[in-house]
């Protein structure tokens, strides 16, 4: 299932720095720390379960654009048995009680069915959803294989053959639209039952979101790279107006030395390079290294190369800026010139550094765009259970076979319970137009709620955690404590974090940054897109166009605004009761509406 969109959140656009400390917070809400034992030299944390690395969110200050601050850091899901915080929670016994009660309920159901019918389960539902299994598997394999076309497309963008804004963006949307149309047409052509049709449609939406994030991030970095080239060229001209590069470097180092002497302490900014963390005693050495004839000539050539290569492809531009990894590069020059007494020169140097920082990950690999555009990088991204692409993610250093086995067993057991509920308590009670509307709601409310909880556990606790383990992905916060929600706004933010993060960055923040939409308008656009996707899935599953789910999602907007009233926000218990009543009524209401009417 998809998630409801993010709502009027200014927090993701804040300037809060990403904190790395021995206790990394376990999410936005206070869900407890993950205890780290040793800080490694490359910025990671060595734990009893492996080394975990933290990547930073990025926000463009120099481009003056709002960019959703999606943070990836080592976190675990609430129901993970390796989560130290959940293991000490005072309500952990209720989790055990829930599974024991479901097990006893299932055994009772089997016994009653054997006494009445002579068998525990009829497996009629299994026969239905296993139909055309081979064709479905091959169709899904073709769908996933199609996504590999993103790599040559991203390579064309990185080489400057395609300008992402806006040629690349148009081609991207056209391709993704074709993928969705072909998938929908294929499901109708095959006349599959609702399980097969729903699965392939949902998986196509997931693949489209993954492709969109991958291409859009690489396209954005193309624009950042080109802008950094232009800024460095401006910096070249600015240094010429203040006496040339050699003189500019001398002035910058002199001012830095004076500032250090005034403070009487060396600069030890943790974000500085080794060159920045110099003391007054070493200033003369640095000045000499930047101003000897040979080095100065090399610097002038590189800056001149930047000025003359703005029309060349992006990769060669990056080589001009960074000197192809040899000697002193544009970043080092800018670090020094950022201390220049001339505000214009210092400002250009700082702007270049800010732009360049977005092109490099902060993890141990220090991945620089476009070095990330490889088939291997894309394959790993496809395995990672996230819909938001980054140059580098926090990683673990090993796969735990016992953990994979645990999640596999949990998946099989939960699926058996889900199948039992569906076959024994949902399908037999499928409503018809001649049945009582309210009786149908009453009969289906509890079975649908149990089915939802089991499906949620299977997807976000078993499948996502298993793929995260196989892909060495350390950020396991696929959901938060949505069961404590006091409003639909809070529920939409917490229950499906991967989709919420995608909508937050690529829809809500993107529309505000690109089109200057207000918070309310961007919220409506995000809700509208999410509602259309939900309705599309329902139309394919039921073979009906009724727009019930679409309207129910849009109705949430005024309801959310009402729940923000202080009198309602103060009563958390009442808000939680209303939330659960809505969730209990929503599932059977949709079933009755789409099936019977």
């Amino acid at each position: 299932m998809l998630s409801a969109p993010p709502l009027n959140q200014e927090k993701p656009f804040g300037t809060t720095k990403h904190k790395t400390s021995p206790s990394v917070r376990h999410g936005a809400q206070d869900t407890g720390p993950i205890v780290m034992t040793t800080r490694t030299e490359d910025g990671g944390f060595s734990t009893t379960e492996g080394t975990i690395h933290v990547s930073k969110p990025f926000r463009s200050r120099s481009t003056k654009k709002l960019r959703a601050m999606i943070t990836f850091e080592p976190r675990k899901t609430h129901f993970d048995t390796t989560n130290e915080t959940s293991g000490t929670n005072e309500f952990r016994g209720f989790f055990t009680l829930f599974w024991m009660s479901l097990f006893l309920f299932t055994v009772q159901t089997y016994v009653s069915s054997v006494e009445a019918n002579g068998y525990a389960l009829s497996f009629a539902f299994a026969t239905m959803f296993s139909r055309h299994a081979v064709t479905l598997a091959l169709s899904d394999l073709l769908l996933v294989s199609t996504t590999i076309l993103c790599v040559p497309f991203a390579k064309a963008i990185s080489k400057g053959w395609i300008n992402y804004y806006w040629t690349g963006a148009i081609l991207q949307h056209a391709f993704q639209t074709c993928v969705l149309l072909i998938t929908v047409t294929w499901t109708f052509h095959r006349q599959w039952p609702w399980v097969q049709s729903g699965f392939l449609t949902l998986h196509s939406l997931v693949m489209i979101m993954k492709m969109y994030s991958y291409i859009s991030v690489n396209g954005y970095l193309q624009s950042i790279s080109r802008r950094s080239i232009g800024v460095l060229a401006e910096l070249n001209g600015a240094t010429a107006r203040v006496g040339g590069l050699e003189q500019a470097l001398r002035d910058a180092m002199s001012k830095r030395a004076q500032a250090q002497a005034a403070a009487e302490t060396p600069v030890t900014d943790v974000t500085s390079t080794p060159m920045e963390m110099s003391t007054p005693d070493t200033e003369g050495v640095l000045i000499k290294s930047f101003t000897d004839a040979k080095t100065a000539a090399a610097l002038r050539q590189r800056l001149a190369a930047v000025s003359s290569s703005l029309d060349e492809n992006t990769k060669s531009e990056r080589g001009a800026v960074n000197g192809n990894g040899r000697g002193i590069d544009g970043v080092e020059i800018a670090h020094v010139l950022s201390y220049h007494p001339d505000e214009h020169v210092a400002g250009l140097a700082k702007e270049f550094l800010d732009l360049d920082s977005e092109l490099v990950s902060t993890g141990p690999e220090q991945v620089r765009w476009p070095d990330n555009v490889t088939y291997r990088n894309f394959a790993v991204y496809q395995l990672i259970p996230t819909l938001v692409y980054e140059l580098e993610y926090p990683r673990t250093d090993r796969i735990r076979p016992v953990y994979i086995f645990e999640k596999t067993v949990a998946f099989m057991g939960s699926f058996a319970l889900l199948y039992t509920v569906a076959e024994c308590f949902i399908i037999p009670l499928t409503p018809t137009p001649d049945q009582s509307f309210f009786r149908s709601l009453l009969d289906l409310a509890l079975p649908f709620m149990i089915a939802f909880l089991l499906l949620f556990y299977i997807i976000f606790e078993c499948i996502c955690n298993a793929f995260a383990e196989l892909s060495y992905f350390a950020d396991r916060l696929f959901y938060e404590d949505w069961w404590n929600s006091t409003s639909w706004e809070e529920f939409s933010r917490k229950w499906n974090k991967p989709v919420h993060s995608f909508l937050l960055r690529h829809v809500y923040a993107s529309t505000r940054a690109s089109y200057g939409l207000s918070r309310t308008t961007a919220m409506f656009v995000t809700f509208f897109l999410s509602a259309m996707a939900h309705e599309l899935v329902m139309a394919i599953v039921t073979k009906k166009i009724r727009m019930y789910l679409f309207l129910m999602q849009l109705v949430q907007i005024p309801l959310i605004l009402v729940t923000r009233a202080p009198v309602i926000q103060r009563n958390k218990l009442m808000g939680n009761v209303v939330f659960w009543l809505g969730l209990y009524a929503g599932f059977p209401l949709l079933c009755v509406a789409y099936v019977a009417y």
Side-chain angles (χ1 to χ4, degrees), residues 317-593:
E317 290 170 357
R318 293 311 312 170
V321 173
N322 296 308
N324 295 315
R326 297 185 296 271
I328 302 169
D329 59 20
V331 176
E332 292 173 323
I333 298 170
H335 273 304
V336 177
L337 293 180
S338 64
Y339 294 95
H340 197 277
D342 185 278
E343 293 184 0
H344 182 60
V345 173
L348 288 173
K350 292 175 182 177
E351 183 178 1
F352 170 78
L353 292 174
D354 184 60
L355 288 166
D356 187 80
S357 67
E358 294 196 30
L359 300 173
V360 186
S361 68
T362 57
E365 298 297 327
Q366 291 285 296
V367 179
R368 172 177 284 277
W369 187 87
D371 296 338
N372 62 296
V373 185
T374 63
Y375 288 98
R376 183 180 183 277
N377 178 273
F378 183 78
V380 172
Y381 167 62
Q382 285 289 70
L383 284 175
I384 292 177
T386 181
L387 302 177
V388 175
Y389 179 73
E390 289 283 346
L391 293 175
E392 188 177 0
Y393 297 97
R395 312 300 295 274
T396 59
D397 60 2
R398 63 189 176 92
I399 297 176
R400 297 165 291 178
V402 175
Y403 185 86
I404 298 295
F405 176 77
E406 173 196 330
K407 295 304 177 184
T408 302
V409 172
F411 167 80
M412 296 174 64
S414 301
F415 184 80
L417 294 175
L418 176 62
Y419 179 85
T420 301
V421 172
E423 181 167 296
C424 299
F425 301 100
I426 294 180
I427 294 179
L429 298 176
T430 300
T432 58
D434 58 336
Q435 289 180 341
S436 169
F437 177 80
F438 293 102
R439 180 56 189 270
S440 296
L441 293 181
L442 185 62
D443 290 340
L444 293 171
L446 185 58
F448 263 113
M449 179 55 65
I450 295 176
F452 168 73
L453 295 176
L454 290 171
L455 188 63
F456 165 81
Y457 183 83
I458 288 172
I459 295 175
F460 295 103
E461 185 61 41
C462 299
I463 297 178
C464 285
N465 267 314
F467 273 93
E469 187 72 14
L470 292 172
S471 59
Y472 300 91
F473 185 54
D475 193 344
R476 312 287 174 89
L477 192 69
F478 306 117
Y479 59 88
E480 294 184 70
D481 58 333
W482 59 265
W483 45 88
N484 294 324
S485 298
T486 58
S487 66
W488 289 105
E489 175 184 3
E490 185 178 1
F491 173 71
S492 70
R493 288 187 286 106
K494 290 183 173 182
W495 91 275
N496 187 342
K497 296 292 289 184
V499 172
H500 171 262
S501 297
F502 175 87
L503 293 173
L504 179 60
R505 169 175 287 183
H506 295 297
V507 182
Y508 181 79
S510 179
T511 53
R512 291 199 63 197
S514 300
Y515 305 106
L517 301 184
S518 65
R519 295 170 57 193
T520 304
T521 305
M523 177 189 69
F524 177 80
V525 170
T526 309
F527 249 99
F528 183 85
L529 181 63
S530 176
M532 287 297 295
H534 281 79
E535 186 60 38
L536 173 65
V537 174
M538 293 302 297
I540 293 173
V541 167
T542 63
K543 306 296 190 296
K544 299 177 182 179
I545 300 179
R546 294 292 186 268
M547 307 301 288
Y548 297 138
L549 182 56
F550 175 80
L551 295 175
M552 287 180 65
Q553 279 206 268
L554 291 186
V555 167
Q556 291 182 34
I557 298 178
L559 291 179
I560 288 171
L561 298 177
V562 171
T563 58
R564 290 179 176 177
V567 64
I568 296 179
Q569 288 189 336
R570 283 194 295 267
N571 195 334
K572 298 296 184 181
L573 177 60
M574 180 58 66
N576 189 241
V577 170
V578 172
F579 157 73
W580 278 110
L581 287 176
L583 205 60
Y584 253 113
F587 296 121
L589 182 61
L590 288 173
C591 178
V592 174

Side-chain angles (χ1 to χ4, degrees), residues 83-92:
N83 189 330
E84 298 87 350
T85 303
S86 299
T88 58
N89 189 287
E90 58 268 29
F91 292 101
R92 63 188 181 278

Side-chain angles (χ1 to χ4, degrees), residues 35-89:
V35 178
M36 304 298 176
T37 57
T38 307
R39 183 70 179 267
T40 60
E41 294 181 356
D42 58 9
F45 296 96
S46 178
T47 70
T48 56
E49 299 175 0
T51 301
I52 303 175
H53 303 290
V54 183
S55 65
K56 73 170 184 178
F58 66 82
R59 168 184 169 84
S60 177
R61 291 174 294 175
S62 55
T63 56
K64 302 298 189 294
K65 281 191 175 183
L66 293 174
R67 294 203 41 88
M69 188 174 283
I70 306 300
T71 304
F72 289 95
E73 57 183 312
R75 292 175 289 195
K76 299 178 182 179
T77 53
H78 287 271
F79 299 126
D80 196 330
T81 56
T82 64
N83 189 330
E84 298 87 350
T85 303
S86 299
T88 58
N89 189 287

